[in-house]
Amino acid sequence: MSGTTLANKLHRVAPQAEILTGASDLSAFALDGIQPQAAALPGTVEDVAAIVKFAAEQHLAVLPCGGGTELGLGQPPLRYDLALCTARLNALLEHEAADLTCSAQAGITLADLQQRLTAKGQFLALDPPNAQRATIGGILAANSSGPGRLRYGAARDLVIGLKVVLGDGTIARSGGKVVKNVAGYDLNKLYVGSLGTLGVIVEANFKLLPLPEREETLLIGFDNAEAAMQYVVALLSGVVTPNALELLDHATQQQLAQSLQSALPGAPYLLAVSFSGGGKAVERQMSDTRATASRAGGAPGARLEAEAQQAFWEGVRAQQTAPLTCKVSLLIQDVAPFLKSAQVICEEQHLEASALAHAGSGLVYLHMRPTDAAERLAEAIGLLRAWAVNHKGTLVIARAPTDLKKRVSVWGDTRAEQRLMQLLKHQFDPQGALAAGRFLGGI
């Protein structure tokens, strides 16, 4: 059906929703070269349910989206008729400060939510990139995270309840509004990270934390990744409790320094160690870390706090994203060998590379250039993925040009659990209307 006809029908089933059909409006929702016939921006959960139910009945393919910061993740859609944007669902529904919990709609941005929570001296321990644009629903759908996941966990670890619209328009709930939800299956973890293939997240309940009294970051230079990662293992085995352990290679340091318009130590590898808590506790941990780093062959440098620290970590999070980004999950002891192998492989394929690692979590964000060298990039990614798999890890293409996605699987080879995933998809979205073909194995 035409965009105008579709818009008229959507207005009848969801009168309060905004429906966009203009070419200039729809260009903002284009994905991998495909533009939908229309975009719906519902203002209520009931409108979301009505739109999804209508789409299922009409065999339309729906792509849920929020701020668009994670739309690059996933295979090109098999079908894409309607964009379902949650941006108008942007309310903080409840904030029970005494219980350290809150409930928010999916379209609220992380920055907006944090600002409201800060007024009560609390925060949500999520720190993915692009907080000004990233919505709660999108963060959860992609299980997006940042350096702070070392101490606080990923998105799925902070959710205590969800409201989700399933593929047939049914409104479902999982979990609750208190931290100790122990009855029944933990469906929260099933929805989080499913990329919108099982349902449209419309509301989320979170556990919160008090704002720390003090937070500081120590920058430590190392001559090589092996020494830096050996020190990371030593830190994690000790008594200190860092918020984040971020390892930057020299190329990433240069890019970060340019964005900050401020000089960094310039060592081959830079380890950023962040602590927060009471003033005396932070001071003691910073002092101990400086001393042990020196004994481990590191060169402790600047101590960052206040605005300088905030700018530094915003810049670090921004370095997780690039036009071509591979997210590699490894055992911690394999991070340094992978970085060495990646450098060799990229040089052999005449590619430039830069890397950033959540060193304490074993996650590496590898960026490669130029992005139009599809054949060489495909070869490099194949070799890098084989290396990761051989070391019990995984490599996912978090962002890439469309032509490269058509050459190389974003998710890698189909795994043994594929059959179970297909059964779940059919149960939650029997018409296959949601994010068609975007997930692992073309689900």
Side-chain angles (χ1 to χ4, degrees), residues 180-191:
K180 293 185 178 179
N181 288 303
V182 295
Y185 296 111
D186 189 356
L187 292 178
N188 294 331
K189 289 185 172 62
L190 190 62
Y191 294 122

mmCIF file with all atom_site columns, all heavy atoms in Angstrom, residues 180-191:
data_model
loop_
_atom_site.group_PDB
_atom_site.id
_atom_site.type_symbol
_atom_site.label_atom_id
_atom_site.label_alt_id
_atom_site.label_comp_id
_atom_site.label_asym_id
_atom_site.label_entity_id
_atom_site.label_seq_id
_atom_site.pdbx_PDB_ins_code
_atom_site.Cartn_x
_atom_site.Cartn_y
_atom_site.Cartn_z
_atom_site.occupancy
_atom_site.B_iso_or_equiv
_atom_site.pdbx_formal_charge
_atom_site.auth_seq_id
_atom_site.auth_comp_id
_atom_site.auth_asym_id
_atom_site.auth_atom_id
_atom_site.pdbx_PDB_model_num
ATOM 1  N N   . LYS A 1 180 ? 14.044 -7.076  44.710 1.00 0.00 ? 180 LYS A N   1
ATOM 2  C CA  . LYS A 1 180 ? 14.029 -8.521  44.930 1.00 0.00 ? 180 LYS A CA  1
ATOM 3  C C   . LYS A 1 180 ? 12.818 -9.157  44.252 1.00 0.00 ? 180 LYS A C   1
ATOM 4  O O   . LYS A 1 180 ? 11.831 -9.499  44.897 1.00 0.00 ? 180 LYS A O   1
ATOM 5  C CB  . LYS A 1 180 ? 14.038 -8.828  46.424 1.00 0.00 ? 180 LYS A CB  1
ATOM 6  C CG  . LYS A 1 180 ? 15.348 -8.411  47.107 1.00 0.00 ? 180 LYS A CG  1
ATOM 7  C CD  . LYS A 1 180 ? 15.374 -8.830  48.569 1.00 0.00 ? 180 LYS A CD  1
ATOM 8  C CE  . LYS A 1 180 ? 16.694 -8.456  49.208 1.00 0.00 ? 180 LYS A CE  1
ATOM 9  N NZ  . LYS A 1 180 ? 16.748 -8.840  50.644 1.00 0.00 ? 180 LYS A NZ  1
ATOM 10 N N   . ASN A 1 181 ? 12.913 -9.303  42.947 1.00 0.00 ? 181 ASN A N   1
ATOM 11 C CA  . ASN A 1 181 ? 11.883 -10.023 42.182 1.00 0.00 ? 181 ASN A CA  1
ATOM 12 C C   . ASN A 1 181 ? 12.372 -11.446 41.988 1.00 0.00 ? 181 ASN A C   1
ATOM 13 O O   . ASN A 1 181 ? 13.284 -11.698 41.212 1.00 0.00 ? 181 ASN A O   1
ATOM 14 C CB  . ASN A 1 181 ? 11.681 -9.366  40.810 1.00 0.00 ? 181 ASN A CB  1
ATOM 15 C CG  . ASN A 1 181 ? 10.965 -8.040  40.912 1.00 0.00 ? 181 ASN A CG  1
ATOM 16 O OD1 . ASN A 1 181 ? 9.862  -7.972  41.433 1.00 0.00 ? 181 ASN A OD1 1
ATOM 17 N ND2 . ASN A 1 181 ? 11.606 -6.993  40.437 1.00 0.00 ? 181 ASN A ND2 1
ATOM 18 N N   . VAL A 1 182 ? 11.760 -12.389 42.692 1.00 0.00 ? 182 VAL A N   1
ATOM 19 C CA  . VAL A 1 182 ? 12.285 -13.756 42.654 1.00 0.00 ? 182 VAL A CA  1
ATOM 20 C C   . VAL A 1 182 ? 11.285 -14.767 42.110 1.00 0.00 ? 182 VAL A C   1
ATOM 21 O O   . VAL A 1 182 ? 11.599 -15.928 41.973 1.00 0.00 ? 182 VAL A O   1
ATOM 22 C CB  . VAL A 1 182 ? 12.723 -14.197 44.069 1.00 0.00 ? 182 VAL A CB  1
ATOM 23 C CG1 . VAL A 1 182 ? 13.876 -13.358 44.550 1.00 0.00 ? 182 VAL A CG1 1
ATOM 24 C CG2 . VAL A 1 182 ? 11.560 -14.106 45.054 1.00 0.00 ? 182 VAL A CG2 1
ATOM 25 N N   . ALA A 1 183 ? 10.066 -14.348 41.814 1.00 0.00 ? 183 ALA A N   1
ATOM 26 C CA  . ALA A 1 183 ? 9.046  -15.302 41.365 1.00 0.00 ? 183 ALA A CA  1
ATOM 27 C C   . ALA A 1 183 ? 9.022  -15.395 39.842 1.00 0.00 ? 183 ALA A C   1
ATOM 28 O O   . ALA A 1 183 ? 8.990  -14.398 39.153 1.00 0.00 ? 183 ALA A O   1
ATOM 29 C CB  . ALA A 1 183 ? 7.673  -14.872 41.873 1.00 0.00 ? 183 ALA A CB  1
ATOM 30 N N   . GLY A 1 184 ? 9.035  -16.638 39.329 1.00 0.00 ? 184 GLY A N   1
ATOM 31 C CA  . GLY A 1 184 ? 8.874  -16.833 37.894 1.00 0.00 ? 184 GLY A CA  1
ATOM 32 C C   . GLY A 1 184 ? 10.171 -16.702 37.116 1.00 0.00 ? 184 GLY A C   1
ATOM 33 O O   . GLY A 1 184 ? 11.238 -16.456 37.652 1.00 0.00 ? 184 GLY A O   1
ATOM 34 N N   . TYR A 1 185 ? 10.043 -16.856 35.782 1.00 0.00 ? 185 TYR A N   1
ATOM 35 C CA  . TYR A 1 185 ? 11.193 -16.746 34.887 1.00 0.00 ? 185 TYR A CA  1
ATOM 36 C C   . TYR A 1 185 ? 11.644 -15.294 34.770 1.00 0.00 ? 185 TYR A C   1
ATOM 37 O O   . TYR A 1 185 ? 10.832 -14.373 34.800 1.00 0.00 ? 185 TYR A O   1
ATOM 38 C CB  . TYR A 1 185 ? 10.841 -17.283 33.500 1.00 0.00 ? 185 TYR A CB  1
ATOM 39 C CG  . TYR A 1 185 ? 10.510 -18.754 33.479 1.00 0.00 ? 185 TYR A CG  1
ATOM 40 C CD1 . TYR A 1 185 ? 9.214  -19.185 33.219 1.00 0.00 ? 185 TYR A CD1 1
ATOM 41 C CD2 . TYR A 1 185 ? 11.489 -19.712 33.711 1.00 0.00 ? 185 TYR A CD2 1
ATOM 42 C CE1 . TYR A 1 185 ? 8.897  -20.529 33.190 1.00 0.00 ? 185 TYR A CE1 1
ATOM 43 C CE2 . TYR A 1 185 ? 11.187 -21.065 33.691 1.00 0.00 ? 185 TYR A CE2 1
ATOM 44 C CZ  . TYR A 1 185 ? 9.892  -21.467 33.430 1.00 0.00 ? 185 TYR A CZ  1
ATOM 45 O OH  . TYR A 1 185 ? 9.586  -22.796 33.408 1.00 0.00 ? 185 TYR A OH  1
ATOM 46 N N   . ASP A 1 186 ? 12.946 -15.095 34.591 1.00 0.00 ? 186 ASP A N   1
ATOM 47 C CA  . ASP A 1 186 ? 13.497 -13.744 34.446 1.00 0.00 ? 186 ASP A CA  1
ATOM 48 C C   . ASP A 1 186 ? 13.421 -13.341 32.972 1.00 0.00 ? 186 ASP A C   1
ATOM 49 O O   . ASP A 1 186 ? 14.401 -13.414 32.234 1.00 0.00 ? 186 ASP A O   1
ATOM 50 C CB  . ASP A 1 186 ? 14.939 -13.710 34.949 1.00 0.00 ? 186 ASP A CB  1
ATOM 51 C CG  . ASP A 1 186 ? 15.483 -12.292 35.022 1.00 0.00 ? 186 ASP A CG  1
ATOM 52 O OD1 . ASP A 1 186 ? 14.767 -11.352 34.603 1.00 0.00 ? 186 ASP A OD1 1
ATOM 53 O OD2 . ASP A 1 186 ? 16.619 -12.110 35.499 1.00 0.00 ? 186 ASP A OD2 1
ATOM 54 N N   . LEU A 1 187 ? 12.225 -12.899 32.551 1.00 0.00 ? 187 LEU A N   1
ATOM 55 C CA  . LEU A 1 187 ? 12.034 -12.516 31.161 1.00 0.00 ? 187 LEU A CA  1
ATOM 56 C C   . LEU A 1 187 ? 12.736 -11.209 30.819 1.00 0.00 ? 187 LEU A C   1
ATOM 57 O O   . LEU A 1 187 ? 12.966 -10.923 29.641 1.00 0.00 ? 187 LEU A O   1
ATOM 58 C CB  . LEU A 1 187 ? 10.541 -12.400 30.852 1.00 0.00 ? 187 LEU A CB  1
ATOM 59 C CG  . LEU A 1 187 ? 9.758  -13.713 30.869 1.00 0.00 ? 187 LEU A CG  1
ATOM 60 C CD1 . LEU A 1 187 ? 8.283  -13.455 30.598 1.00 0.00 ? 187 LEU A CD1 1
ATOM 61 C CD2 . LEU A 1 187 ? 10.316 -14.700 29.862 1.00 0.00 ? 187 LEU A CD2 1
ATOM 62 N N   . ASN A 1 188 ? 13.060 -10.408 31.839 1.00 0.00 ? 188 ASN A N   1
ATOM 63 C CA  . ASN A 1 188 ? 13.757 -9.147  31.563 1.00 0.00 ? 188 ASN A CA  1
ATOM 64 C C   . ASN A 1 188 ? 15.004 -9.393  30.718 1.00 0.00 ? 188 ASN A C   1
ATOM 65 O O   . ASN A 1 188 ? 15.272 -8.695  29.742 1.00 0.00 ? 188 ASN A O   1
ATOM 66 C CB  . ASN A 1 188 ? 14.165 -8.452  32.867 1.00 0.00 ? 188 ASN A CB  1
ATOM 67 C CG  . ASN A 1 188 ? 12.982 -8.000  33.687 1.00 0.00 ? 188 ASN A CG  1
ATOM 68 O OD1 . ASN A 1 188 ? 11.922 -7.693  33.144 1.00 0.00 ? 188 ASN A OD1 1
ATOM 69 N ND2 . ASN A 1 188 ? 13.142 -7.952  34.994 1.00 0.00 ? 188 ASN A ND2 1
ATOM 70 N N   . LYS A 1 189 ? 15.773 -10.386 31.125 1.00 0.00 ? 189 LYS A N   1
ATOM 71 C CA  . LYS A 1 189 ? 17.039 -10.659 30.431 1.00 0.00 ? 189 LYS A CA  1
ATOM 72 C C   . LYS A 1 189 ? 16.813 -11.205 29.026 1.00 0.00 ? 189 LYS A C   1
ATOM 73 O O   . LYS A 1 189 ? 17.716 -11.166 28.192 1.00 0.00 ? 189 LYS A O   1
ATOM 74 C CB  . LYS A 1 189 ? 17.898 -11.609 31.263 1.00 0.00 ? 189 LYS A CB  1
ATOM 75 C CG  . LYS A 1 189 ? 18.482 -10.969 32.520 1.00 0.00 ? 189 LYS A CG  1
ATOM 76 C CD  . LYS A 1 189 ? 19.414 -11.915 33.248 1.00 0.00 ? 189 LYS A CD  1
ATOM 77 C CE  . LYS A 1 189 ? 20.133 -11.207 34.389 1.00 0.00 ? 189 LYS A CE  1
ATOM 78 N NZ  . LYS A 1 189 ? 19.240 -10.698 35.418 1.00 0.00 ? 189 LYS A NZ  1
ATOM 79 N N   . LEU A 1 190 ? 15.628 -11.724 28.767 1.00 0.00 ? 190 LEU A N   1
ATOM 80 C CA  . LEU A 1 190 ? 15.318 -12.215 27.419 1.00 0.00 ? 190 LEU A CA  1
ATOM 81 C C   . LEU A 1 190 ? 15.068 -11.040 26.475 1.00 0.00 ? 190 LEU A C   1
ATOM 82 O O   . LEU A 1 190 ? 15.514 -11.042 25.324 1.00 0.00 ? 190 LEU A O   1
ATOM 83 C CB  . LEU A 1 190 ? 14.092 -13.124 27.473 1.00 0.00 ? 190 LEU A CB  1
ATOM 84 C CG  . LEU A 1 190 ? 13.750 -13.908 26.206 1.00 0.00 ? 190 LEU A CG  1
ATOM 85 C CD1 . LEU A 1 190 ? 14.882 -14.871 25.849 1.00 0.00 ? 190 LEU A CD1 1
ATOM 86 C CD2 . LEU A 1 190 ? 12.449 -14.685 26.411 1.00 0.00 ? 190 LEU A CD2 1
ATOM 87 N N   . TYR A 1 191 ? 14.354 -10.031 26.947 1.00 0.00 ? 191 TYR A N   1
ATOM 88 C CA  . TYR A 1 191 ? 14.043 -8.873  26.112 1.00 0.00 ? 191 TYR A CA  1
ATOM 89 C C   . TYR A 1 191 ? 15.278 -7.985  25.900 1.00 0.00 ? 191 TYR A C   1
ATOM 90 O O   . TYR A 1 191 ? 15.489 -7.461  24.803 1.00 0.00 ? 191 TYR A O   1
ATOM 91 C CB  . TYR A 1 191 ? 12.938 -8.033  26.749 1.00 0.00 ? 191 TYR A CB  1
ATOM 92 C CG  . TYR A 1 191 ? 11.598 -8.715  26.837 1.00 0.00 ? 191 TYR A CG  1
ATOM 93 C CD1 . TYR A 1 191 ? 10.959 -8.889  28.062 1.00 0.00 ? 191 TYR A CD1 1
ATOM 94 C CD2 . TYR A 1 191 ? 10.955 -9.193  25.695 1.00 0.00 ? 191 TYR A CD2 1
ATOM 95 C CE1 . TYR A 1 191 ? 9.721  -9.512  28.160 1.00 0.00 ? 191 TYR A CE1 1
ATOM 96 C CE2 . TYR A 1 191 ? 9.724  -9.817  25.780 1.00 0.00 ? 191 TYR A CE2 1
ATOM 97 C CZ  . TYR A 1 191 ? 9.109  -9.969  27.017 1.00 0.00 ? 191 TYR A CZ  1
ATOM 98 O OH  . TYR A 1 191 ? 7.888  -10.590 27.095 1.00 0.00 ? 191 TYR A OH  1
#
